[in-house]
Amino acid sequence: MADDSVIQDSTPCLLHLLLLAELFVHSSSRPAGSPSLCGTFRAMVPQLERLMTLSETLHDLTDDDLLNFSVVGHGLSSLPNIQYDAGYFNSPKVNASLSQLYVYVQSFRLHVDWLKTAKENVSLSWSAEDVRTGLLQLSNLINTSLHQISEDVPQSPSPSLPAVSTTFEALQSSVEISQRLQAFCDWSKRVLRRLQRQSRCPKH
Ligand SMILES: *[C@@H]1O[C@H](CO)[C@@H](O)[C@H](O)[C@H]1NC(C)=O
Ligand SMILES: *[C@@H]1O[C@H](CO)[C@@H](O)[C@H](O)[C@H]1NC(C)=O
Ligand SMILES: *[C@@H]1O[C@H](CO)[C@@H](O)[C@H](O)[C@H]1NC(C)=O
Ligand SMILES: *[C@@H]1O[C@H](CO)[C@@H](O)[C@H](O)[C@H]1NC(C)=O
């Protein structure tokens, strides 16, 4: 909770600086999309890259150990079912894509919180606090972008997640959430690039 309030206080300030920088750099270039929306998009890119790296801290297994966990079980059906089809990439609406991103991020936040409890329940160490922080910051940025296009923040479903009773289950869930989070970051970066083009954001 203490973390949350610090981030919520510092995010708007950082964003402000980014937006100012955006205005100065681009005041003389070709007609571009909304500088504030483009500024928010740009702030999301490094956040996604950080999350991509951090997602590995959800478990502390070596590559060899990972092989033991990657093929077992049917996994967590409540994790976001990301749409990879080409149709989605060809004509995403900015509002629909941002709403979708928001819902996915809330789902990952829920699963990571659940994983923290699950690991602690079976006495495994928890070393992924940065992932929770990163997801919260990303969620705040998407919230900001939704406000910038006057779109309501969507309601997120809250699936009930199972209780975990063995170390094996907890490790398996760590690996699964870690891998799905990486795939999500990769997907989100592609969606974001498309949104930047669609919104005629300046290139860098
Ligand atoms: C993975 O499997 C190998 C070989 O069966 C075993 O030596 C290793 O301890 C296992 N790792 C985990 C984390 O269970
Ligand atoms: C996106 O905006 C269009 C109108 O511009 C609206 O028809 C549509 O319902 C919106 N989609 C979402 C997911 O909010
Ligand atoms: C989204 O941001 C607005 C301010 O821009 C804030 O009032 C609201 O509480 C935020 N919502 C969430 C779910 O974070
Ligand atoms: C953790 O333990 C509590 C208390 O036994 C239990 O209610 C909860 O469901 C457990 N959570 C997970 C994710 O296993």
Side-chain angles (χ1 to χ4, degrees):
M1 279 296 133
D3 296 355
D4 290 9
S5 61
V6 170
I7 290 142
Q8 269 156 2
D9 287 343
S10 62
T11 303
C13 181
L14 186 68
L15 210 60
H16 225 98
L17 286 174
L18 281 168
L19 299 184
L20 276 178
E22 185 83 29
L23 280 174
F24 279 114
V25 171
H26 298 293
S27 51
S28 61
S29 62
R30 68 188 170 79
S34 148
S36 50
L37 184 61
C38 291
T40 310
F41 286 162
R42 274 181 55 207
M44 285 184 206
V45 177
Q47 198 64 56
L48 282 168
E49 277 162 2
R50 256 189 81 228
L51 262 178
M52 176 99 80
T53 311
L54 285 172
S55 61
E56 288 177 26
T57 62
L58 285 172
H59 60 75
D60 30 34
L61 300 171
T62 65
D63 285 350
D64 279 347
D65 289 340
L66 275 179
L67 293 175
N68 302 16
F69 292 96
S70 49
V71 288
V72 200
H74 41 265
L76 292 161
S77 56
S78 52
L79 277 167
N81 191 11
I82 292 171
Q83 305 173 36
Y84 288 101
D85 52 291
Y88 187 80
F89 281 106
N90 289 338
S91 60
K93 293 213 168 13
V94 174
N95 61 350
S97 299
L98 287 174
S99 298
Q100 185 68 79
L101 270 178
Y102 186 84
V103 170
Y104 284 167
V105 170
Q106 300 319 306
S107 175
F108 277 109
R109 289 184 65 197
L110 203 84
H111 282 86
V112 168
D113 286 351
W114 167 82
L115 182 63
K116 181 182 192 312
T117 315
K119 289 186 85 172
E120 285 169 354
N121 276 7
V122 297
S123 307
L124 284 172
S125 67
W126 174 253
S127 54
E129 208 48 37
D130 287 350
V131 176
R132 296 173 85 212
T133 308
L135 282 169
L136 177 63
Q137 285 168 337
L138 183 61
S139 162
N140 286 339
L141 286 169
I142 302 171
N143 181 5
T144 302
S145 69
L146 285 165
H147 279 80
Q148 285 165 336
I149 60 167
S150 308
E151 185 77 17
D152 288 337
V153 175
Q155 290 291 314
S156 309
S158 39
S160 63
L161 287 158
V164 163
S165 50
T166 67
T167 306
F168 181 80
E169 284 176 306
L171 283 175
Q172 203 183 337
S173 299
S174 309
V175 173
E176 187 178 12
I177 296 175
S178 162
Q179 288 171 345
R180 296 285 284 273
L181 183 56
Q182 280 179 45
F184 162 77
C185 290
D186 194 54
W187 177 86
S188 301
K189 276 169 64 181
R190 285 192 287 156
V191 169
L192 206 52
R193 272 198 293 273
R194 185 162 282 276
L195 292 179
Q196 285 174 312
R197 275 201 297 278
Q198 240 178 351
S199 310
R200 296 194 312 283
C201 294
K203 280 199 185 115
H204 279 272

